[in-house]
Amino acid sequence: MRRLRCGRGGGPLEAAASAGDATTPEGRGCRSTAPTPCPPPAARRPYRLAGGLPGLLEPGASTDPYRLRLYRVLRTDFPLGYDPALGGYLLSRYADVALALTDPRFTGFPHDGAQPGPAPAPLGLCRGSVVCAPLPGDPPPAPAARRRAVERTAYVLARRISRRERADLVSEFCDWLPAGAAAASDRLSYPDLRALSRPAPRHLPARPAACATHTAVRERALAAFLANMLDHPDLLAAVRSGPPPGGGEPPAAPPAGTGSRSLFERAWTETLRRDPPVQIVLRRTRTAVRVSGGALPAGAPVACLLGAAGRDPARFTAPDRFDPLRADADPLLCGPAGCPAAVLGRLEAEHGLRALLDAMPGIRWADGFRPSASGVLTRAPRSLLVRPA
């Protein structure tokens, strides 16, 4: 994750290579099981800079960009605008963001750890460095030992929670599963939480699996995924009755147009579209580029707003709705499929959900609790209070 900083007088974008150490104001997000999103408060509006452009990092604007209509205003009224606090241009429409992520006329921002040349963009759970992809001849990013470690750790954590009347899945499960699985794979037969150093490493090792050493973004992605699934008990029931992770056949007679992908895979992809843990990806133009809102000059810093692009109604039908079976799903916003962090994140979500359902078949939200996400740089629920039975 890249941390953006700004001076009061404006300035260039600054980014840190450490994952998940950015902080954002707490907010009151809203999730709903209804097909339509929660209506935004009529009295609240995005903070606007001179000229009407909403300020992305101004006080209050980052609390909840969805309920404040911030992303909607940017897509409709300011598809290309310059934010002096960020010191860069904002792209919010899906078509423009996809262009910036895939077109060779864009490259990584020079201060965010991305290397020039053919490197993946920092997207989804991937940090975007050239060292993220396995090199020829390297072992697969998720060998059988790591898969078993993820599964074992998930079951240990889930069974500890199952003995309680009320538990917080963020602090007691999501924040420990990635680190615990790594420890179990490396040296421990079972994860000993007292022996773990939970904070993600702050320095990027120069080795192929460097993406996988940073767990903070995967913790946020897991929390968002579990929140979406717990909001839909029917999906939980379908996953519980489906094939076990890593084996079995797909459910018989999937809905027309959905193909043979498992329900879990679709739910995971839908979570990364609707609730991306990293909301902003930094790029820079190599040459002048025309986008839907105008022209970007050569050498311009660009902030791709993944949270806005993933809910662009011009690309997705009912974009605010969590719908794993949507016909217009797009894996672009998930990041490189072969990135070790992406592979591990998917394993942790799949085995984590399965372990929770096996240990707590009746798991549900705690009485009166509704999950709320916060943040505009990284975004995820800060707590997930559940009743194990």
Side-chain angles (χ1 to χ4, degrees):
M1 170 56 206
R2 284 80 193 149
R3 180 174 60 219
L4 308 183
R5 295 175 179 167
C6 60
R8 288 297 179 186
L13 283 170
E14 297 181 6
S18 59
D21 58 347
T23 57
T24 52
E26 292 295 327
R28 293 292 183 264
C30 183
R31 292 180 185 270
S32 173
T33 56
T36 56
C38 299
R44 303 177 70 189
R45 295 291 183 270
Y47 184 94
R48 294 178 183 268
L49 304 171
L53 176 70
L56 198 63
L57 298 183
E58 294 300 324
S62 64
T63 300
D64 192 336
Y66 299 108
R67 293 193 71 184
L68 288 178
R69 299 192 182 100
L70 174 62
Y71 287 159
R72 185 188 308 176
V73 170
L74 287 172
R75 283 193 307 261
T76 57
D77 300 338
F78 302 94
L80 177 62
Y82 185 83
D83 191 324
L86 288 174
Y89 292 87
L90 304 182
L91 295 181
S92 53
R93 291 178 176 174
Y94 177 88
D96 295 335
V97 169
L99 181 73
L101 294 174
T102 58
D103 194 289
R105 292 174 294 175
F106 290 83
T107 185
F109 194 77
H111 302 301
D112 69 354
Q115 304 293 323
L123 185 62
L125 304 182
C126 178
R127 294 177 58 82
S129 174
V130 291
V131 298
C132 91
L135 301 176
D138 282 339
R146 179 57 62 89
R147 180 184 293 272
R148 289 193 297 270
V150 171
E151 182 179 16
R152 183 170 63 248
T153 305
Y155 273 91
V156 169
L157 294 172
R159 293 199 177 278
R160 288 178 179 176
I161 295 174
S162 67
R163 303 167 188 159
R164 304 177 185 175
E165 294 184 0
R166 176 171 163 144
D168 182 359
L169 293 184
V170 171
S171 62
E172 301 179 62
F173 190 83
C174 301
D175 286 354
W176 291 105
L177 178 55
S185 177
D186 293 340
R187 62 187 184 277
L188 301 176
S189 58
Y190 290 97
D192 182 357
L193 301 186
R194 297 170 297 178
L196 297 181
S197 177
R198 186 193 159 274
R202 293 184 177 274
H203 300 287
L204 186 66
R207 58 189 179 87
C211 275
T213 65
H214 296 263
T215 63
V217 174
R218 302 208 311 269
E219 294 164 12
R220 287 167 169 78
L222 179 58
F225 171 73
L226 293 178
N228 282 327
M229 296 302 290
L230 285 167
D231 262 347
H232 297 79
D234 54 333
L235 292 179
L236 287 180
V239 170
R240 186 186 295 113
S241 61
E249 297 295 329
T258 62
S260 59
R261 293 174 57 208
S262 71
L263 179 60
F264 165 80
E265 291 173 328
R266 292 181 171 277
W268 177 244
T269 299
E270 177 73 346
T271 293
L272 295 180
R273 173 203 70 85
R274 182 182 182 272
D275 301 293
V278 177
Q279 296 261 313
I280 298 178
V281 165
L282 306 183
R283 305 291 278 166
R284 183 182 286 278
T285 56
R286 295 178 181 270
T287 183
V289 180
R290 177 162 291 280
V291 293
S292 65
L296 288 166
V302 177
C304 300
L305 307 185
L306 302 185
R311 300 201 191 188
D312 188 347
R315 173 60 181 83
F316 301 101
T317 302
D320 292 328
R321 184 174 62 205
F322 180 75
D323 182 8
L325 300 181
R326 63 172 57 249
D328 54 1
D330 188 345
L332 173 64
L333 299 180
C334 297
C339 170
V343 174
L344 286 175
R346 183 188 180 282
L347 280 177
E348 289 155 2
E350 185 171 14
H351 287 287
L353 178 62
R354 181 72 62 176
L356 291 172
L357 292 177
D358 286 353
M360 298 166 278
I363 187 172
R364 62 189 184 278
W365 292 129
D367 295 341
F369 175 79
R370 297 297 304 153
S372 65
S374 62
V376 73
L377 304 182
T378 61
R379 184 172 180 80
R382 298 304 187 232
S383 64
L384 297 174
L385 300 181
V386 298
R387 291 180 61 87

